Amino acid sequence: MDYQVLQSPPPAQHSALDPEVIRQRLETALAGSDAAIAEAAAEAPLTLTALRESSLAPHVQTALFMGFYRLAERVAQHTFQTIRATKLPIPRRLRQKVRLSHELLEALILNGQALNRELLESPKGPRDDLGTVLAILTRAIELHIYISHRVSTPVTAGIWLHLHAIYRLARTQELLQAKAPEQTQTLGEHYVATLLAGIAQPAAFSSQEHRFIAEYIAQNTASVTIATSPVGMARGVYWINPHHDHPAYALIRLQPEPGSEAYYFSCERLARDTKARLRVLESGLTAQALHLPAFADTAGGRSTLRRLAVHW
C-alpha cells in the first residue's frame, strides 16, 4: 500500500513534537474563526510530515490523525461553500483555497498510509484504530476527488490507486463497516459513493449539480454491491483493478486481463430506480415526498437525474 505518487511537503523544522501542544492547537483552531482554520490548515502538512517521521506510539499518532482529519473536513466543507458561490473559471483566490485543501488532504492520506503499516505491524494495535484510520482515509480521498470534480480539474495522480488499496485492505480485514468520526456512512459506502461519482462523467456537471449528485449518491449506495465476480450482474456492470490508478471501467467497453485481480459492481438497479423517481417527479410529486434533495424539483435537477441514469 506504499504508493509514493502523492508528494510529501518538505520536513517541518521541529526539534521535538509535543502531542499535547499539537492537540491543543488543533482544538483552538477548530473552535476559532475561519482565519484560524486557514492558518492551521496551512501549517498542517508540515506538522503531519514531522509526525510521520517521528517515533511517537501508534495510539498517539492515531489520536492526532483524527484531529487533523476534523480540520481537513472543516477546510473541505468551507471550500465547497466557496465553490458554490463562484462561477467557473475559478479565480486565483479560490485556486489557492483548492490547493490548500488538496495539500492538507494529501498530507493526511500519506500519514494515514504510514499509520496503517504501524498498526498492522503492531501485535497490540487496536483493531478499532485500524478501522477508524482506514475510514478516515476513504473519506479524505472522497473529499479530494469531489473538490477536483467541482472545479473541473483532473484528479491528482495516485489518488485512485490509494483509494482502491485502502478498500482492498479494509475488505481483507473485514473493516468495511468502520466509520470516520462524525460520519453516518461506512467506509464501504463512501467507497461506493466515490466510484459512482467517478463514472458519472463529472466534467459534464456544474458545481451545483455535483453537490446534488453527491447527496443523491449518498442516499443510494445500498443499491450497489461490490463482488469478486460479475456472475448475476446483467447490465451496467463496472469493474475495478485495485492496482490501477483509475476509476471503475465499464465492462462493456473493457475486459479485465485474464487472471488479474478485479472487483465488480452493477449500476442496473440504481439506474432503474433513478428513472422511476424521475418519472414520478415529472408527474408532479415533489422531491420532499420522495426524500430527495430539493434541487430535484428544478428542471436542472431532473436533467441531472436523467443524465445520471444514462451514465450508470
Side-chain angles (χ1 to χ4, degrees):
M1 286 216 332
D2 188 15
Y3 298 114
Q4 295 299 322
V5 182
L6 303 181
Q7 296 298 310
S8 300
Q13 299 301 313
H14 293 286
S15 57
L17 288 169
D18 187 331
E20 183 59 25
V21 170
I22 296 172
R23 185 190 64 78
Q24 290 179 357
R25 285 178 178 172
L26 283 170
E27 288 186 357
T28 300
L30 288 168
S33 63
D34 289 345
I37 292 285
E39 182 179 356
E43 296 174 354
L46 295 178
T47 306
L48 283 164
T49 299
L51 286 170
R52 192 164 66 251
E53 298 170 352
S54 75
S55 57
L56 291 175
H59 73 276
V60 177
Q61 293 265 20
T62 301
L64 293 175
F65 181 74
M66 292 171 66
F68 280 106
Y69 159 67
R70 290 187 174 93
L71 175 66
E73 184 79 44
R74 284 280 298 277
V75 171
Q77 294 305 326
H78 192 272
T79 301
F80 289 140
Q81 292 174 9
T82 307
I83 292 170
R84 285 199 295 272
T86 307
K87 293 183 178 179
L88 295 177
I90 61 174
R92 180 179 179 183
R93 181 172 294 181
L94 181 52
R95 287 200 301 270
Q96 292 173 339
K97 186 182 289 289
V98 167
R99 184 169 60 250
L100 176 69
S101 298
H102 274 164
E103 288 175 353
L104 174 53
L105 289 165
E106 288 167 13
L108 192 71
I109 292 164
L110 290 173
N111 268 61
Q113 296 282 36
L115 189 51
N116 281 342
R117 290 192 294 272
E118 290 193 43
L119 291 171
L120 286 167
E121 292 170 1
S122 173
K124 297 182 181 179
R127 183 174 174 79
D128 288 347
D129 281 357
L130 178 60
T132 300
V133 171
L134 289 170
I136 287 174
L137 282 169
T138 305
R139 175 60 175 164
I141 294 175
E142 179 183 38
L143 291 170
H144 193 290
I145 290 173
Y146 279 6
I147 289 172
S148 295
H149 286 176
R150 293 191 190 185
V151 295
S152 298
T153 59
V155 173
T156 301
I159 283 292
W160 286 106
L161 196 61
H162 279 280
L163 180 64
H164 298 326
I166 291 159
Y167 174 79
R168 183 173 182 264
L169 177 59
R171 187 181 179 100
T172 302
Q173 296 290 322
E174 299 182 348
L175 291 170
L176 293 179
Q177 298 303 310
K179 295 180 181 179
E182 300 172 16
Q183 292 295 313
T184 58
Q185 287 190 298
T186 65
L187 182 161
E189 290 169 335
H190 279 293
Y191 181 68
V192 167
T194 310
L195 291 177
L196 291 174
I199 63 176
Q201 301 294 325
F205 294 99
S206 68
S207 174
Q208 185 178 27
E209 289 167 338
H210 275 300
R211 182 188 183 189
F212 171 61
I213 291 168
E215 292 173 350
Y216 182 73
I217 287 174
Q219 293 177 347
N220 291 280
T221 53
S223 299
V224 175
T225 301
I226 298 177
T228 55
S229 167
V231 174
M233 300 180 188
R235 302 175 61 186
V237 181
Y238 291 82
W239 61 277
I240 309 110
N241 184 321
H243 306 292
H244 285 188
D245 186 24
H246 195 279
Y249 301 95
L251 187 63
I252 195 172
R253 296 193 185 99
L254 184 67
Q255 299 279 332
E257 295 180 6
S260 63
E261 184 178 8
Y263 298 120
Y264 301 84
F265 64 94
S266 170
C267 294
E268 182 178 14
R269 177 184 166 190
L270 178 56
R272 184 179 63 246
D273 291 347
T274 301
K275 291 176 182 176
R277 294 185 183 107
L278 183 58
R279 286 193 297 271
V280 174
L281 286 169
E282 290 175 336
S283 72
L285 205 63
T286 65
Q288 184 178 14
L290 293 174
H291 306 290
L292 295 176
F295 187 63
D297 279 329
T298 67
R302 291 191 293 273
S303 173
T304 301
L305 287 175
R306 193 174 297 109
R307 291 150 69 193
L308 286 175
V310 171
H311 292 321
W312 290 332

